[in-house]
Amino acid sequence: MDRITRDTVLDTAMRLVMESGIENLSMRKLAAELGVAVTSIYWHVGNRDVLVDQLVDRVIADMGAISVDGSTPVERVVSIARSCRRMILERPHLVGLVRERGLESLMMLPARKALVREMTAAGLRGARAGEAVQAVQYQIAGFVMLERALENSAAEPPAVDHWRGELALEDPELAASLSNVTDGDRLFVLSVRALVESLLG
Amino acid sequence: MDRITRDTVLDTAMRLVMESGIENLSMRKLAAELGVAVTSIYWHVGNRDVLVDQLVDRVIADMGAISVDGSTPVERVVSIARSCRRMILERPHLVGLVRERGLESLMMLPARKALVREMTAAGLRGARAGEAVQAVQYQIAGFVMLERALENSAAEPPAVDHWRGELALEDPELAASLSNVTDGDRLFVLSVRALVESLLG
DNA sequence: CCCACCGGTGTAACAGTGTTACAGAGCAAC
DNA sequence: GTTGCTCTGTAACACTGTTACACCGGTGGG
């Protein structure tokens, strides 16, 4: 009997997603949570797709500004990347959200401007600078997406590598480094720094 | 009436996936295609999840060997990465397949061995080499996953960047480079080369 | 005042999904 | 012949997104 609003629908949808993930959000559950029939939701938001789109927009809107620290350009770009990664990892529902829609690029919009500033500050101009920005963006987004995807399938079998035995004899430290469950932040910073140092050099 | 086999089930499932993608594969459609009831499929393969797992294993098994060209270590790693990317892009269904399961890491197994060889040939040892291998692996897989995800959502709105106007005044070539739909291969090779040069330097 | 309209809601259905309890064929072995 | 095993079919359960249609409450016009 209580009237609902497009905003109340989006609010409780957001709450449900943050509680139990996008994969457990259905129109019927949302309607039940609102104490209303399914058709009301369709009247207010139209579709499940536009509902998810609205949720993505909300999450991206509240991602806030990224922090830029460091004195050298490399350190500043690394700090941007790190801030980006932290911001995404702090929002576990975001990955599922943008995985359902195809809006991965929007994930990067706040960083883009900061990256352009740093690249030009480091002396890059024109297409060189543009490619550098895109390369770093792709690396950040790709890394985090992959990282999240891998951690969900952590129950993976040990992936019997037959050649790992012989490798362990030649360079046991290398074999151990490949077997270890990766320290995400360390590998991330290492990769970004390597890429940026090369791009700016 | 015709008896079916686990292999015939997997074969036609694979065919259906290659024809219309994993998202259009349902147990009922598969059963209909086989001219059999759903329960037979369940008896033979058990589950939809194990069915998809089997399909992933098949695709990975037929990925074959990667080619390694080039004289310098950097060029050889770039060639490995490029070969990997091509192999994945040639199998459009693979991305949907591994996106449904969480087995992204398996995507890289054939490349791993080659990367280890090149890194040690370039003089890297121990944890340094292991991290380098993982960094390149993450970059390849992340880049390709992101690339495929972006190309599916190409109908995206132009993403009104308010600051692009002022940027265009300062460095029009940079603005154009950021606006352009990215040339995937060029950006990929550029990124991998930059990363590897820095890791090996 | 009444009636028509419109915004919003509810009922019930359609078509599709994965999965399974259960009954039954066909065949081999004892 | 009867038992037992392998495999298949029927029919259902519990979901999903979506919609055709009826209804209810208010607001404005005649």
Side-chain angles (χ1 to χ4, degrees):
Chain A
M1 198 63 81
D2 294 2
R3 294 294 175 84
I4 60 176
T5 321
R6 184 186 175 92
D7 278 334
T8 67
V9 174
L10 293 179
D11 287 342
T12 64
M14 199 64 200
R15 185 166 55 79
L16 289 185
V17 167
M18 290 195 292
E19 283 174 7
S20 40
I22 180 71
E23 65 275 8
N24 285 75
L25 175 72
S26 79
M27 307 300 264
R28 284 183 174 83
K29 284 179 190 167
L30 180 54
E33 190 74 18
L34 285 162
V36 103
V38 225
T39 41
S40 296
I41 301 179
Y42 279 90
W43 197 94
H44 281 286
V45 302
N47 215 343
R48 187 180 196 273
D49 282 354
V50 321
L51 197 160
V52 177
D53 280 344
Q54 296 295 320
L55 294 187
V56 172
D57 287 350
R58 285 202 171 194
V59 175
I60 291 184
D62 90 316
M63 279 202 13
I66 54 175
S67 63
V68 187
D69 298 327
S71 49
T72 72
V74 172
E75 287 312 311
R76 293 169 70 83
V77 172
V78 170
S79 124
I80 292 172
R82 213 168 179 175
S83 162
C84 251
R85 174 169 174 270
R86 196 171 0 93
M87 212 177 285
I88 297 171
L89 292 185
E90 279 169 359
R91 293 165 176 75
H93 50 285
L94 174 60
V95 174
L97 226 45
V98 301
R99 170 168 294 202
E100 190 159 312
R101 316 240 55 57
L103 306 171
E104 280 87 346
S105 71
L106 287 183
M107 221 157 62
M108 307 306 302
L109 281 187
R112 197 159 185 151
K113 190 171 184 176
L115 285 177
V116 169
R117 180 166 38 231
E118 294 306 321
M119 295 298 179
T120 58
L124 263 58
R125 293 284 180 275
R128 276 275 314 269
E131 288 164 349
V133 169
Q134 295 215 34
V136 174
Q137 280 192 278
Y138 265 74
Q139 198 184 30
I140 299 174
F143 191 101
V144 179
M145 275 185 63
L146 192 56
E147 187 181 18
R148 293 279 313 173
L150 288 181
E151 104 183 10
N152 288 353
S153 68
E156 220 169 308
V160 274
D161 294 355
H162 306 87
W163 52 281
R164 189 170 293 167
E166 49 184 292
L167 177 64
L169 297 179
E170 301 169 14
D171 192 336
E173 196 182 348
L174 201 170
S177 164
L178 285 179
S179 298
N180 281 349
V181 177
T182 311
D183 177 354
D185 188 64
R186 174 173 166 74
L187 185 62
F188 178 73
V189 170
L190 183 145
S191 302
V192 173
R193 177 172 288 124
L195 178 67
V196 177
E197 277 175 354
S198 184
L199 287 173
L200 295 185
Chain B
M1 198 64 79
D2 293 3
R3 294 294 173 86
I4 60 176
T5 321
R6 184 186 174 95
D7 278 334
T8 67
V9 173
L10 293 179
D11 286 343
T12 63
M14 198 65 200
R15 185 167 55 79
L16 289 185
V17 166
M18 290 195 293
E19 282 174 10
S20 40
I22 180 71
E23 64 276 6
N24 285 76
L25 175 71
S26 78
M27 306 301 265
R28 283 182 174 82
K29 285 179 190 167
L30 179 54
E33 191 75 18
L34 284 162
V36 104
V38 225
T39 42
S40 295
I41 301 178
Y42 280 91
W43 197 93
H44 282 286
V45 303
N47 217 341
R48 187 180 197 272
D49 283 353
V50 321
L51 196 160
V52 178
D53 280 344
Q54 297 294 321
L55 294 186
V56 172
D57 287 351
R58 284 202 172 195
V59 175
I60 292 185
D62 90 317
M63 280 204 11
I66 54 175
S67 64
V68 187
D69 297 328
S71 49
T72 73
V74 172
E75 287 312 311
R76 294 170 68 83
V77 172
V78 169
S79 127
I80 292 173
R82 213 167 178 175
S83 162
C84 250
R85 173 168 175 271
R86 193 168 6 89
M87 213 177 285
I88 297 171
L89 292 185
E90 278 170 359
R91 293 166 177 75
H93 49 285
L94 174 59
V95 174
L97 226 45
V98 302
R99 171 168 293 201
E100 189 160 312
R101 316 243 51 61
L103 305 172
E104 280 87 346
S105 70
L106 286 183
M107 221 157 64
M108 306 307 300
L109 281 187
R112 197 159 185 152
K113 192 171 183 175
L115 285 178
V116 169
R117 180 166 39 232
E118 293 308 320
M119 295 299 178
T120 58
L124 262 58
R125 293 286 180 274
R128 274 279 308 275
E131 287 164 350
V133 169
Q134 296 215 34
V136 175
Q137 279 192 279
Y138 265 74
Q139 197 184 31
I140 299 175
F143 191 100
V144 179
M145 276 186 61
L146 192 55
E147 187 180 20
R148 292 279 314 172
L150 288 180
E151 106 183 8
N152 288 352
S153 67
E156 219 168 307
V160 274
D161 293 357
H162 306 87
W163 53 280
R164 189 170 293 167
E166 48 183 293
L167 177 63
L169 296 180
E170 302 169 12
D171 192 337
E173 196 181 347
L174 200 171
S177 163
L178 284 179
S179 298
N180 280 349
V181 177
T182 310
D183 177 354
D185 189 64
R186 174 174 165 74
L187 186 61
F188 178 73
V189 170
L190 183 145
S191 303
V192 173
R193 177 172 287 124
L195 177 67
V196 177
E197 275 174 355
S198 185
L199 287 173
L200 295 185

